[in-house]
Amino acid sequence: MTSSTPTASFVIIANRLPVDRVPGPDGEVIWRRSPGGLVAALEPVMQSVDGAWVGWAGQPDLDLKPFTEDGIRLLPVTLSAQDVEEYYEGFSNDTIWPLYHDVISSPQYHREWWDAYVRVNRRFAERAASAVAEGGTVWVHDYQLQLVPAMLRERRPDVTIGYFHHIPFPAHGLYAQLPWRDQVLQGLLGADVVGFQRAQDATNFLTAVRRRLRLDVKGSTVSVPYGGPRTVVARAFPISIDTTPYTELAARPDVRARAAEIREGLGSPKKILLGVDRLDYTKGIRHRIKAFGELLDEGRISVEDVTLVQVASPSRERVDAYVQLRDEIELAVARINGDHDTMDHTAIRYLHQGFPREEMVALYLAADAMLVTALRDGMNLVAKEYAAARSDQRGVLVLSEFTGAADELRQAVLVNPHDIEGLKDAIMQAVEMPPREQSRRMRALRKRVLENDVNAWSRDFLAALENVRSAR
């Protein structure tokens, strides 16, 4: 194969590059490592191999040549403003995201969005096809790029292709609503290994394949007659975090001192509850705030004794559903604070911003309980970050049953966030939990998180890809 771009034996394809283009202190353009779970999960993998990363730079109409940053070769894909509106904000985040999250918000189906999704997926596939070496490996990530595996296989049948789905995959009754349901399944089946966060997600996918495409499904494998014939493996590979930065930061005296400052700045309440989320309707922020407000109204907790800190980092601010969500949450916070604040204590400290990792670890150490109340979540890495940071074996994790993390972190206080009374009781259980029980639960949580870190996740997935390659 000939190409003007040097080829790599290992290529990652994701919607975004692992860096953001930002202005430097002197006005020059610099690249900064992106926040978010995907980059945190994959950066250690990329540092250990001779690879390249295909993705969008995050700004429309930005035509960039390949470049290297932090030792990773980056291959930018250009998206126009129309691509961003229709492929990203439209089909990815206003069609697929709500549909795959159990229709918490109504998905929108527009043919021009689908056309843009096909067009942009093809662009990513073509970029990767020219970048991967003969017989190399390509790892495609997430719901924005579900058509890429088949498009890439059509162009490069010599490569081994993996796909990992970071969000839930819906039950067939919901998935069947998608007008382009068969095309998406065929796109995913271009991969040799299709990975999911939970075993149930893999089952939902295999059910859709069997019912929609009438293919032969046995256990976790699908016999695919086209692009082969071949066998595709579809199973769960629960993602995790790079635990080392969290354990190291939690041990630093300055971070521990910052945690003490946070407590003092909040009026030194007896208990601090913490929520850390993207501002997204799937995260259950409204349910959490409602439950907390009712506990205050009922006198089961007082504003002097218990404070809720809610970090809600900005997300998809041009999508109408997110604009409405922010307004609803901020109105609810204002009402609760208006009813219960004193001159010295605030019921809810609401922070619509992101924070660097050092500050987040300080918040984790300051928090007596972490509230992860997502209505639906592929995994939720914040729950694992909290456990990794709590080397003091203290703190309580209140965790939604509807997160992928709930399959692994069984020693958390598990809750159905739709059940407001049950959520209130879970919060009270966390507030009142004796130190000995906290320690017993947290030791088990940390053992699970530290043993099953991001390196174990990537090794497991890449080993499955290698098994496919060896079986050819």
Side-chain angles (χ1 to χ4, degrees):
M1 186 194 73
T2 61
S3 173
S4 59
T5 303
T7 58
S9 60
F10 183 79
V11 175
I12 282 177
I13 313 177
N15 178 63
R16 288 290 299 273
L17 292 173
V19 292
D20 292 325
R21 192 171 186 261
V22 297
D26 299 321
E28 78 282 14
V29 171
I30 62 172
W31 293 96
R32 184 177 62 198
R33 180 185 177 276
S34 302
L38 178 59
V39 175
L42 294 179
E43 186 180 42
V45 181
M46 292 302 291
Q47 297 288 2
S48 65
V49 297
D50 172 29
W53 187 306
V54 174
W56 173 46
Q59 297 176 22
D61 301 307
L62 191 61
D63 192 7
L64 299 172
K65 295 186 182 300
F67 63 101
T68 299
E69 187 72 26
D70 288 338
I72 302 174
R73 188 141 53 89
L74 304 177
L75 308 177
V77 173
T78 302
L79 298 185
S80 68
Q82 183 179 355
D83 291 332
V84 174
E85 180 182 350
E86 296 180 346
Y87 145 79
Y88 181 67
E89 295 173 351
F91 194 81
S92 295
N93 291 323
D94 218 2
T95 300
I96 292 295
W97 181 269
L99 177 65
Y100 283 30
H101 285 86
D102 293 354
V103 195
I104 294 168
S105 178
S106 297
Q108 303 297 313
Y109 303 117
H110 298 292
R111 286 169 291 181
E112 62 271 22
W113 290 2
W114 166 253
D115 293 341
Y117 189 78
V118 174
R119 180 177 68 247
V120 172
N121 271 242
R122 186 176 296 115
R123 199 175 305 157
F124 275 84
E126 289 169 350
R127 193 77 164 105
S130 65
V132 63
E134 189 74 27
T137 298
V138 178
W139 196 356
V140 185
H141 285 271
D142 222 1
Y143 64 103
Q144 301 96 342
L145 303 172
Q146 295 176 97
L147 306 182
V148 166
M151 292 173 169
L152 180 60
R153 181 164 299 284
E154 182 181 356
R155 291 159 176 77
R156 293 296 304 276
D158 59 292
V159 304
T160 304
I161 303 171
Y163 172 89
F164 187 76
H165 197 74
H166 292 255
I167 68 173
F169 195 91
H172 184 259
L174 291 176
Y175 180 76
Q177 296 178 24
L178 184 67
W180 308 277
R181 54 202 180 183
D182 294 354
Q183 294 96 311
V184 169
L185 294 175
Q186 290 162 353
L188 292 171
L189 289 173
D192 296 292
V193 177
V194 183
F196 298 92
Q197 300 280 25
R198 311 180 80 165
Q200 186 60 56
D201 295 323
T203 298
N204 290 344
F205 170 73
L206 292 167
T207 298
V209 166
R210 185 177 63 250
R211 294 182 64 174
R212 296 298 320 160
L213 304 183
R214 307 296 182 185
L215 297 181
D216 185 23
V217 175
K218 292 182 179 178
S220 60
T221 64
V222 183
S223 297
V224 180
Y226 39 83
R230 343 174 257 114
T231 298
V232 175
V233 175
R235 66 176 182 86
F237 299 84
I239 200 171
S240 194
I241 61 170
D242 183 9
T243 58
T244 302
Y246 295 93
T247 57
E248 289 180 348
L249 283 169
R252 271 175 33 184
D254 61 320
V255 175
R256 303 188 74 82
R258 175 60 184 144
E261 286 178 4
I262 289 171
R263 292 197 75 94
E264 186 177 351
L266 293 170
S268 300
K270 292 179 181 177
K271 298 290 181 179
I272 295 174
L273 312 179
L274 176 63
V276 176
D277 312 87
R278 281 190 312 103
L279 189 61
D280 191 289
Y281 50 75
T282 66
K283 300 300 184 181
I285 301 172
R286 286 175 295 193
H287 298 63
R288 183 184 315 157
I289 289 172
K290 181 177 178 61
F292 184 74
E294 288 189 11
L295 288 172
L296 287 168
D297 291 340
E298 295 164 6
R300 295 172 70 181
I301 58 174
S302 71
V303 71
E304 292 84 5
D305 290 342
V306 184
T307 294
L308 170 61
V309 178
Q310 176 61 59
V311 177
S313 58
S315 175
R316 300 168 189 162
E317 295 183 288
R318 295 186 1 168
V319 178
D320 288 344
Y322 290 78
V323 175
Q324 180 181 346
L325 174 68
R326 179 180 179 183
D327 289 344
E328 291 175 359
I329 288 173
E330 293 181 355
L331 180 60
V333 169
R335 283 176 172 166
I336 291 170
N337 285 347
D339 288 342
H340 296 283
D341 280 6
T342 68
M343 289 296 184
D344 299 317
H345 294 90
T346 294
I348 302 174
R349 182 66 61 85
Y350 174 77
L351 303 160
H352 183 242
Q353 54 194 280
F355 293 95
R357 185 181 285 170
E358 290 85 352
E359 185 75 354
M360 291 310 307
V361 172
L363 274 168
Y364 293 153
L365 292 176
D368 299 284
M370 184 86 211
L371 308 183
V372 178
T373 58
L375 308 180
R376 195 78 164 89
D377 211 336
M379 177 52 63
N380 194 285
L381 297 180
V382 164
K384 296 188 175 186
E385 291 172 5
Y386 182 68
R390 295 310 300 241
S391 53
D392 59 354
Q393 313 293 355
R394 296 292 291 274
V396 183
L397 175 62
V398 176
L399 182 61
S400 166
E401 300 168 9
F402 307 117
T403 65
D407 287 359
E408 301 179 85
L409 306 182
R410 305 301 296 176
Q411 291 76 23
V413 176
L414 298 178
V415 66
N416 173 4
H418 298 280
D419 175 9
I420 300 299
E421 290 299 327
L423 181 52
K424 288 157 59 178
D425 290 342
I427 292 172
M428 291 306 303
Q429 183 182 349
V431 166
E432 297 170 348
M433 187 176 291
R436 181 174 294 182
E437 185 179 353
Q438 289 185 35
S439 179
R440 177 182 63 79
R441 287 173 179 261
M442 188 54 69
R443 274 199 306 271
L445 292 173
R446 295 191 80 248
K447 183 174 187 293
R448 178 75 181 186
V449 171
L450 295 177
E451 288 179 353
N452 296 278
D453 65 359
V454 69
N455 295 314
W457 167 74
S458 61
R459 282 196 305 269
D460 191 18
F461 192 95
L462 294 175
L465 275 180
E466 185 57 37
N467 288 340
V468 170
R469 185 199 304 276
S470 302
R472 285 177 176 169

